[in-house]
Amino acid sequence: MTFNRVKTFYPTAYAFASQFFEGVSKAMPLNQKDVLLDVGCGTGTLTALLSKRVGRVTAFDISPEMIKQAEEISTAENITYSLGDATKLSTNEEYRNSFDKVLSYYVLHWIKDFKIVLEGIHQSLKPGGQCFVNTTHSDPNVIDSIKALNGYTSPKWETFMKGYEHLYYPFQGSVDEFEQMLAGIGFKDIDCTRDIPKYFLKKDEGKAFLPNFMGQLERFPEDRREEYIKDALTFVFDTAEEEYCFTFPVITAIARK
C-alpha cells in the first residue's frame, strides 16, 4: 500500500473492517480475557473493533504513518500500538508464548516469503492459542482492477514504469498445500478454506480506494502523480456502471498452537 496516501483509505477501510469483523470473531471466538496480537494492523480499523471484544490488544505495523493513523482512529486504553516488522516476529522474545489469539488480516500477500511470518505467529501464541490468518490466492481474476492499475502504462508513462515490479504475492499453491505448510510449522486443529468474496464500491469510492495500492506512484515526480492517477483510473473505470465489484480469491485459516 502507498503509505503517504493512506488517509484516502479511511472510509473504505472502515467499511470493509466493519463488514467482515463479525466473520473474524465468529471463526475465532473472542472473550474479555483474551490477549490478542494484531499483525500488520494498518490503519487500525479492525483493531478498534477487536478491542471491544478482548481484554488487551497489541497491534503493530511496519509503517509509522499507519501507526499514526491507527492511533487517531482509536485511543482505547486496552490497545498498545508499536512499530514492527512481521518478518521479524519470530525473533521477538517479548512476544513468545504471550497471546491467546493472533490475527493477520490481509497482510501475508504483501510479504514475499510469508512462511516466516506464520512461524512467528506460532511462536507468539500461548500453547492452545488460536490464530486467524488470510491471504489472497493466485487466480486469473485476482484483484483485476489493482493489477490493471499497476500494469497500466502508455507511451506517456513508459519512462517511469520501466522495470517496475509490484510488491504483491498471492499464495500460489492449493488450499491443501497451505494447510500442509501450517501443519509443518506446528499448528494443529487447522480449518483452511478458499472463498471469493465480493466487495462493492461506488465508482467515486473506488477512485479514492485504488490509488492506495499503486506502489508505482513513488516512481513519479510529485507534480505528475495526479495526472497519472487520473489516466489510470479512467483506464479502469471506463464503464457506465456506477457501482464497481472487486473480487478477492482468499485462503483463510484458523488454527491452534
Side-chain angles (χ1 to χ4, degrees):
M1 184 177 290
T2 312
F3 301 130
N4 62 359
R5 300 187 57 82
V6 72
K7 286 189 176 180
T8 65
F9 186 59
Y10 276 1
T12 307
Y14 190 80
F16 282 174
S18 300
Q19 183 177 355
F20 295 102
F21 167 67
E22 291 302 329
V24 172
S25 59
K26 182 178 181 180
M28 183 177 68
L30 306 171
N31 65 69
Q32 292 296 325
K33 293 183 179 180
D34 282 335
V35 179
L36 183 144
L37 177 65
D38 190 354
V39 177
C41 65
T43 59
T45 49
L46 189 56
T47 313
L49 295 170
L50 290 164
S51 70
K52 299 175 182 179
R53 296 279 186 93
V54 301
R56 191 168 77 251
V57 180
T58 296
F60 73 85
D61 198 275
I62 198 169
S63 164
E65 292 88 350
M66 288 293 195
I67 292 298
K68 180 180 178 182
Q69 305 306 338
E71 291 173 336
E72 290 181 7
I73 284 177
S74 178
T75 57
E77 292 183 358
N78 67 335
I79 303 177
T80 300
Y81 297 105
S82 64
L83 286 173
D85 183 344
T87 65
K88 303 289 176 40
L89 185 56
S90 60
T91 64
N92 191 325
E93 292 298 325
E94 181 183 353
Y95 288 177
R96 189 179 292 267
N97 300 317
S98 295
F99 298 95
D100 301 292
K101 306 286 170 59
V102 177
L103 175 77
S104 174
Y105 191 72
Y106 287 117
V107 172
L108 299 179
H109 47 250
W110 300 115
I111 300 168
K112 190 169 187 177
D113 182 12
F114 63 68
K115 182 180 178 183
I116 193 172
V117 181
L118 295 171
E119 292 170 344
I121 288 173
H122 185 266
Q123 290 186 192
S124 299
L125 282 166
K126 296 176 182 178
Q130 191 175 37
C131 71
F132 178 109
V133 300
N134 64 4
T135 179
T136 55
H137 187 226
S138 180
D139 185 279
N141 297 314
V142 64
I143 313 186
D144 284 344
S145 297
I146 293 174
K147 289 179 69 178
L149 277 170
N150 287 287
Y152 170 76
T153 188
S154 72
K156 185 161 89 172
W157 304 113
E158 282 179 358
T159 300
F160 303 107
M161 292 291 288
K162 187 176 181 180
Y164 174 73
E165 178 186 356
H166 188 50
L167 304 180
Y168 172 68
Y169 311 100
F171 184 65
Q172 300 296 313
S174 67
V175 173
D176 286 345
E177 287 171 324
F178 195 87
E179 185 171 337
Q180 289 166 13
M181 178 172 57
L182 290 172
I185 291 170
F187 285 102
K188 57 186 180 180
D189 299 333
I190 303 166
D191 183 5
C192 196
T193 58
R194 182 184 186 276
D195 194 14
I196 308 180
K198 294 181 179 180
Y199 303 79
F200 292 92
L201 293 176
K202 300 296 184 184
K203 187 180 290 188
D204 288 346
E205 292 174 332
K207 288 183 176 181
F209 173 65
L210 284 177
N212 294 284
F213 296 89
M214 296 169 67
Q216 69 269 41
L217 287 177
E218 302 301 327
R219 289 174 160 249
F220 290 79
E222 287 279 357
D223 62 352
R224 300 294 305 278
R225 291 181 185 177
E226 291 305 317
E227 182 185 0
Y228 175 80
I229 290 171
K230 183 178 179 180
D231 282 1
L233 291 176
T234 298
F235 169 71
V236 172
F237 290 101
D238 186 17
T239 171
E241 299 295 329
E242 288 303 315
E243 189 172 60
Y244 203 83
C245 177
F246 300 90
T247 59
F248 291 70
V250 175
I251 290 180
T252 299
I254 299 93
R256 290 193 182 277
K257 181 172 179 178

